[in-house]
């Protein structure tokens, strides 16, 4: 008998232990790291061919103490490696675990590799080669509680890779996890029931379900096995196990005479799903169609199982659509799917709460790096009775303070929007503290920015409020949910306000008082246009007419564009970011502003201003509140450093010239004495620069006009 360890994903271990028992494994023990079992070679081969739940099967070679590098090396060298594999077979070593002395897996793997090489040298005078990418033999050393176990990777990596997936889509579900949720859904107990996946993606869940229902050995199409170059491999026993698996799979195939059903809103992934099903040999047993999950209806004559793995709202643009779907889906289930079982795998538990259903069971899994839960529901009369007893009200049926306030704000802004021809504006800015978000309109798009909630507010309450916002904002503003962008915004420092989020390369061009400006709602925390500076841009543009204009901390150059369009004699745009400076140049090109009078400089604005020898007649300065960028010589704090910065700006200003200085630091205090000492006359323009959509937010920014006397 040999000792084995079968690895899998967290949450699947108990199912894997049952599976190995059924396949003939003995002394099966489930532990957090995997499932240990004993078996002869014939059974081990059978496990490799038939396991749906293991990701890898390891054969134990030896075990020893490993308190430090020396004992690890000694334990590895004591294994008779020339009896394990041939010196001509390239090998690789994986190392799992750590201790006080062995803290790095790479260090552990290197130590074991050296021991194996030295063992071969001493016994054969020949050194085996190492191939990390595609070795014939892979050894795994696992360090746990001061002991190291050496294993042969018996199955080879990726048992979950069945071979039928040509393409897995954008968020692939591993086949062994798909098999696990099919088992947990209960459908296999009666496969005559309909099985429906309304968000089927590339079809993995349904293919695994049919494979189980038809009794297919999932390992039949593997091209490589880890034991092939193992010197203990019994070729005759392996061929027997392989032939048995092939014959049994053929005999089992006709056991399932039904059909399962999958749909997805994306026609491209439906095409992929059909290709995958054909490769698996199940084209006639799975019916795929292109449908919106929110619009599916029950067309089946008897109850079945709805099983799906929806997106989790991790990527920008997904969550608003999911909130709307789940808010209405629970009600549809209660109306149309009586006595059905519903099983949903998700890492976003808040979405489940929107269903307004009581789950029968919840199973914890790991989907890649994410903690996920498979929640199962029975849609029976008790669900409806529970609604009545608890007074359950769906989002679309309840009165919303947020929705009411948003409606009121839009009504108040309606005349101003029309008269000013404004395309982009803020319609809600944390008006009600419990709904701590900002809602901005960008033409046909809606941007919802969630601010960090105070620590005293429970996370579940924050999530619930956000769901309400995400549900109602598009409905009140009449914006399609796929045009809603959700961002989480916390208090930022310095260049962090330009944090990159999700590269989609999707941009819009908006109009603002005759200027065309590019905005990007998806890729960064900020969009490329500060809406609160709409009036500021107009004031600066008019004051800069006929003047030599300098824009410092220019960001995407929107102020520079307005100044140029209003007739500034020259425009110099300075920013430290190449990305945003390029964006500024694109904004100029959009407005057909091409001239030697327009200059773009990538530099640390503070250093450039100090060293600059030129004079300007108008300077616009909108610095960050704080910055510690590596490209700056020192940190910058606008409260601490504004006098030094404005002193340098004074020296770069012509006599009679002006500076528009603005920042968004709450409770900022201008050092008026220092300004007068420099020779500035100071006018506070904060009230004049705040437009109607920011009238409530007195601290959105501070603005001053400084004139050099």
């Amino acid at each position: 008998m040999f000792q084995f360890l079968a690895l899998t994903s967290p949450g699947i271990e108990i199912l894997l232990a049952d599976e190995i028992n059924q396949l003939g494994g003995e002394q099966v023990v489930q532990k957090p790291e995997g499932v240990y079992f004993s078996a002869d070679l014939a059974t081990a081969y059978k496990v490799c061919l038939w396991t749906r739940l293991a990701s890898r099967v390891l054969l134990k070679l030896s075990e020893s103490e490993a308190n430090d590098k020396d004992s690890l090396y000694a334990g590895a060298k004591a294994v008779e490696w020339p009896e394990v594999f041939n010196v001509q077979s390239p090998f690789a070593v994986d190392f799992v675990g750590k201790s006080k002395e062995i803290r790095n897996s790479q260090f552990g793997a290197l130590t074991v590799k050296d021991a194996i090489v030295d063992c071969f040298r001493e016994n054969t005078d020949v050194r085996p080669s190492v191939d990390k990418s595609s070795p014939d033999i892979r050894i795994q050393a696992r360090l746990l509680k001061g002991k190291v176990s050496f294993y042969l990777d018996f199955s080879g990596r990726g048992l979950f890779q069945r071979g039928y997936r040509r393409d897995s889509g954008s968020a692939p579900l591993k086949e062994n996890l798909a098999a696990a949720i099919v088992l947990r859904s209960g459908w296999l107990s009666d496969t005559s029931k309909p099985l429906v996946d309304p968000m089927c993606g590339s079809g993995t869940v349904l293919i695994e379900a049919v494979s189980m229902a038809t009794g297919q050995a999932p390992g039949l199409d593997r091209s490589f096995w880890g034991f092939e170059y193992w010197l203990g491999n019994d070729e005759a026993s392996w061929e027997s196990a392989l032939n048995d698996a092939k014959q049994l799979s053929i005999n089992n195939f006709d056991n399932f005479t039904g059909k399962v059903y999958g749909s997805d809103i994306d026609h491209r992934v439906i095409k992929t799903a059909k290709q995958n099903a054909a490769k698996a040999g199940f084209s006639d047993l799975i019916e795929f169609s292109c449908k919106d999950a929110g619009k599916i209806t029950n067309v089946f004559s008897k109850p079945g199982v709805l099983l799906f793995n929806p997106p989790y709202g991790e990527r920008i643009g997904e969550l608003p659509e999911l909130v709307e779907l789940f808010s209405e889906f629970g009600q549809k289930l209660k109306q149309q799917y009586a006595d059905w079982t519903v099983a949903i795998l998700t890492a976003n538990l808040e979405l489940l709460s929107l269903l307004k259903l009581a789950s029968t069971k919840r199973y914890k899994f790991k989907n890649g790096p994410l903690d996920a839960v498979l929640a199962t529901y029975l849609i029976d009369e008790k669900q409806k009775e529970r609604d009545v007893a608890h007074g359950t009200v769906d989002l679309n049926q309840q009165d919303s303070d947020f929705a009411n306030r948003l409606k009121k704000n839009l009504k108040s802004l309606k005349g101003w929007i029309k008269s000013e021809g404004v395309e982009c504006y803020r319609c809600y800015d944390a008006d009600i503290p419990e709904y701590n978000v900002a809602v901005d309109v960008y033409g046909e798009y809606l941007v919802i920015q969630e601010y960090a909630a105070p620590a005293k507010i429970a996370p579940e309450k924050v999530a619930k409020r956000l769901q309400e916002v995400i549900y109602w904002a598009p409905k009140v503003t009449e914006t399609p949910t796929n045009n809603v962008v959700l961002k989480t915004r916390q208090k930022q420092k310095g260049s962090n306000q330009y944090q990159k989020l999700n590269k989609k390369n999707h941009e819009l061009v908006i109009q603002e008082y005759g200027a065309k400006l590019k905005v990007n709602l998806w890729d960064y925390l900020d969009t490329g246009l500060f809406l609160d500076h709409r009036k500021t841009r107009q004031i600066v543009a008019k004051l800069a007419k006929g003047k030599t204009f300098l824009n410092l901390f220019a960001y995407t150059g929107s102020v520079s564009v307005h100044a140029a369009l209003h007739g500034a004699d020259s425009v110099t745009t300075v920013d430290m970011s190449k990305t945003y400076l390029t964006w500024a140049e694109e904004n100029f090109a959009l407005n057909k502003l091409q001239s030697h009078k327009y200059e773009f400089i990538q530099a640390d604005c503070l250093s450039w201003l100090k060293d600059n020898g030129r004079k300007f007649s108008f300077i616009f300065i909108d610095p960050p509140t704080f910055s510690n960028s590596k490209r700056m010589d020192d940190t910058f704090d606008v409260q601490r450093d504004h006098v030094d910065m404005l002193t340098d700006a004074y020296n770069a200003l012509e006599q009679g010239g002006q500076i528009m200085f603005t920042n968004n630091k709450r409770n900022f205090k201008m050092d008026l004495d220092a300004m007068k000492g420099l020779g500035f006359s100071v006018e506070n323009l904060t009230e004049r620069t705040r437009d109607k959509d920011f009238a409530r937010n007195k601290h959105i920014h501070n603005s001053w006009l400084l004139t050099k006397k």
Side-chain angles (χ1 to χ4, degrees):
M1 298 289 281
F2 294 88
Q3 304 299 312
F4 294 90
L5 170 60
L7 306 179
T8 192
S9 303
I12 304 180
E13 304 96 327
I14 188 170
L15 295 172
L16 176 58
D18 289 342
E19 180 185 60
I20 291 174
N21 265 314
Q22 292 170 18
L23 291 171
E26 299 179 20
Q27 298 175 309
V28 179
V29 178
Q30 172 199 337
K31 289 194 175 181
E33 62 270 22
V35 177
Y36 295 89
F37 67 99
S38 302
D40 57 22
L41 277 185
T43 303
Y45 294 139
K46 183 180 178 182
V47 168
C48 288
L49 285 164
W50 287 95
T51 180
R52 297 186 180 280
L53 303 170
S55 56
R56 202 184 317 182
V57 176
L58 308 176
L59 168 64
K60 189 171 183 178
L61 302 172
S62 176
E63 181 180 277
S64 64
E65 299 291 328
N67 298 312
D68 51 27
K69 178 185 177 181
D70 291 341
S71 58
L72 174 62
Y73 175 88
K77 193 178 178 187
V79 180
E80 295 294 335
W81 294 108
E83 297 179 7
V84 176
F85 64 97
N86 195 301
V87 71
Q88 281 79 35
S89 298
F91 77 102
V93 176
D94 295 329
F95 193 90
V96 178
K98 60 183 179 179
S99 65
K100 289 182 179 179
E101 297 294 328
I102 304 168
R103 303 176 185 177
N104 182 281
S105 59
Q106 190 173 358
F107 172 78
L110 185 61
T111 302
V112 174
K113 184 269 294 182
D114 289 343
I116 294 173
V117 169
D118 290 347
C119 179
F120 269 100
R121 277 176 171 165
E122 291 180 8
N123 286 274
T124 66
D125 294 327
V126 181
R127 171 196 171 104
S129 61
V130 174
D131 184 347
K132 294 182 180 179
S133 59
S134 55
D136 292 342
I137 290 288
R138 188 174 290 276
I139 302 300
Q140 186 171 117
R142 301 180 67 87
L143 178 62
L144 184 65
K145 297 179 180 178
K147 288 190 176 183
V148 62
S149 297
F150 300 100
Y151 291 93
L152 168 72
D153 189 349
F154 190 76
S155 62
R157 286 189 168 184
L159 275 174
F160 56 85
Q161 295 172 334
R162 318 289 198 222
Y164 58 75
R165 291 209 304 204
R166 295 183 179 182
D167 189 4
S168 57
S170 60
L173 191 69
K174 286 184 178 179
E175 291 90 326
N176 62 334
L177 178 54
I181 66 173
V182 171
L183 282 166
R184 288 300 195 194
S185 74
W187 176 72
L188 290 172
S189 63
D190 183 359
T191 57
S192 68
K193 291 181 177 180
L195 175 65
V196 181
D197 183 346
M199 298 184 188
C200 68
S202 57
T204 305
V205 170
L206 295 177
I207 293 172
E208 287 299 311
V210 171
S211 181
M212 284 186 272
T214 56
Q216 301 302 292
L220 285 180
D221 293 328
R222 283 179 66 84
S223 59
F224 175 79
W225 294 94
F227 52 73
E228 288 182 21
Y229 291 89
W230 172 50
L231 294 180
N233 184 30
D234 185 339
E235 191 64 31
S237 181
W238 162 244
E239 287 296 330
S240 176
L242 182 61
N243 291 331
D244 286 348
K246 288 178 179 178
Q247 190 59 51
L248 193 54
S249 294
I250 293 171
N251 296 341
N252 288 341
F253 193 84
D254 293 334
N255 289 347
F256 178 65
T257 57
K259 184 176 280 191
V260 300
Y261 304 85
S263 59
D264 198 281
I265 196 171
D266 189 340
H267 66 89
R268 294 168 299 180
V269 298
I270 287 297
K271 182 179 179 181
T272 297
K274 289 179 178 179
Q275 290 173 343
N276 291 341
K279 184 79 163 45
F282 301 142
S283 290
D284 295 337
L285 303 179
I286 309 177
E287 183 177 305
F288 290 110
S289 59
C290 190
K291 292 179 184 175
D292 182 345
K295 297 176 182 177
I296 65 166
T297 55
N298 186 2
V299 296
F300 298 95
S301 58
K302 67 177 183 177
V305 176
L306 273 168
L307 172 61
F308 58 104
N309 171 43
Y312 303 156
E314 294 290 314
R315 291 187 294 276
I316 290 175
E318 288 180 341
L319 193 56
E321 295 177 70
L322 290 171
V323 166
E324 181 181 49
L325 171 65
F326 275 72
S327 297
E328 299 170 358
F329 201 55
Q331 195 62 30
K332 175 175 283 190
L333 292 174
K334 282 176 274 194
Q335 292 170 351
Q336 297 189 25
Y337 289 84
D339 298 322
W340 278 62
T341 294
V342 178
I344 304 172
L345 179 72
T346 182
N348 191 332
L349 297 183
E350 287 77 23
L351 286 176
L352 295 179
S353 68
L354 293 172
L355 294 171
K356 306 298 182 185
L357 295 171
S359 58
T360 51
K361 286 188 178 180
R362 294 195 176 198
Y363 304 97
K364 293 182 179 180
F365 291 103
K366 200 87 170 174
N367 187 4
L370 300 175
D371 291 322
V373 166
L374 179 73
T376 61
Y377 305 86
L378 177 60
I379 311 303
D380 56 9
E381 284 300 316
K382 290 182 180 178
Q383 297 281 7
K384 296 178 182 179
E385 293 170 4
R386 195 177 291 107
D387 285 354
V388 174
H390 295 282
T392 301
V393 180
D394 294 325
L395 273 178
N396 62 344
Q397 297 173 326
Q398 70 184 37
D399 188 54
S400 168
D401 290 338
F402 165 77
N404 292 336
R405 176 58 66 94
L406 184 56
K407 290 174 186 175
K408 180 180 177 182
N409 289 355
L410 288 170
K411 184 178 181 181
S412 172
L413 294 171
K414 186 176 181 181
W416 168 76
I417 293 168
K418 186 175 181 180
S419 64
E420 294 292 314
V422 175
E423 276 188 38
C424 308
Y425 54 90
R426 179 155 294 180
C427 53
Y428 179 90
D429 196 358
D431 299 33
I432 305 171
E434 289 81 5
Y435 302 91
N436 199 24
V437 300
V439 181
D440 296 329
V441 173
Y442 282 82
E444 297 177 350
Y445 290 83
L446 201 64
V447 177
I448 301 173
Q449 301 183 54
E450 179 193 15
Y451 296 111
K456 63 182 180 181
I457 301 180
E460 57 271 16
K461 185 172 288 188
V462 173
K464 187 176 180 181
R465 296 294 192 197
L466 181 61
Q467 288 169 359
E468 191 176 335
V469 168
I470 293 171
Y471 181 79
W472 281 111
K475 291 191 180 303
V476 173
T477 58
E478 298 181 351
T479 304
T481 52
N482 58 350
N483 281 10
V484 178
V485 182
L486 175 66
K487 301 181 181 183
T488 299
R489 187 183 195 107
Q490 300 186 9
K491 189 174 182 180
Q492 302 291 323
K493 290 187 175 182
S495 61
N496 285 345
Q497 64 184 307
Y498 311 130
Q499 171 189 348
K500 197 157 185 185
L501 294 176
N502 185 28
K503 194 65 177 172
K504 292 184 73 169
N505 291 316
H506 190 170
E507 298 159 350
L508 303 175
V509 175
I510 61 98
Q511 301 268 356
E512 183 184 79
Y513 296 119
K516 294 179 180 178
L517 299 169
K518 185 185 85 171
V519 295
N520 186 323
L521 311 184
W522 297 269
D523 294 352
Y524 302 91
L525 188 59
D526 284 313
T527 65
L529 186 66
F530 296 132
L531 297 185
D532 63 300
H533 276 315
R534 188 186 307 106
K535 269 195 168 182
T536 303
R537 287 188 283 273
Q538 292 307 295
I539 293 170
V540 170
K542 291 173 183 176
L543 292 173
K545 184 176 182 179
K547 297 181 181 178
T548 53
F549 176 68
L550 170 64
N551 183 3
L552 290 172
F553 306 98
Y555 190 32
T556 60
S558 56
V559 175
S560 295
V561 168
H562 277 286
L565 288 173
H566 278 74
D569 188 56
S570 67
V571 178
T572 301
T573 303
V574 185
D575 197 274
M576 189 163 54
S577 166
K578 183 178 180 180
T579 298
Y580 291 113
L581 205 64
T582 300
W583 195 328
E585 293 183 74
E586 291 170 354
N587 277 334
F588 267 67
L590 277 173
N591 292 276
K592 296 181 169 54
L593 295 169
Q594 295 178 326
S595 170
H596 67 279
K597 299 189 301 181
Y598 307 135
E599 185 179 11
F600 301 88
I601 299 171
Q602 183 187 358
D604 170 4
C605 293
L606 296 177
S607 298
W608 184 88
L609 182 62
K610 188 180 291 290
D611 299 336
N612 165 62
R614 296 156 58 185
K615 297 283 187 180
F616 299 88
S617 50
F618 198 99
I619 301 175
F620 177 69
I621 307 178
D622 181 25
T625 298
F626 178 85
S627 179
N628 59 355
S629 171
K630 293 178 181 178
R631 287 176 288 177
M632 292 180 64
D633 294 334
D634 202 353
T635 62
F636 173 79
D637 182 289
V638 71
Q639 182 64 71
R640 181 191 69 197
D641 299 323
H642 75 281
V643 173
D644 289 342
M645 179 181 64
L646 291 173
T647 299
D648 292 334
Y650 180 90
N651 295 330
L653 198 62
E654 294 176 356
Q655 200 64 34
Q658 293 180 306
I659 297 172
M660 172 73 89
F661 169 59
T662 182
N663 67 72
N664 63 352
K665 180 176 176 60
R666 193 178 183 89
N667 299 321
F668 175 83
K669 302 294 182 186
M670 170 73 89
D671 191 333
L672 296 175
D673 291 337
M675 294 302 102
K676 290 177 182 177
L678 282 171
F680 279 127
S681 64
V682 181
E683 182 182 0
N684 191 328
L685 296 185
T686 301
E687 292 297 324
R688 281 182 55 191
T689 56
R690 214 171 45 243
D691 218 341
K692 185 175 178 63
D693 51 337
F694 289 93
R696 286 188 70 259
N697 192 341
K698 305 296 183 184
H699 302 285
I700 189 68
H701 64 241
N702 318 285
S703 299
W704 288 267
L705 185 63
L706 311 176
T707 305
K708 186 173 181 178
K709 291 187 273 187

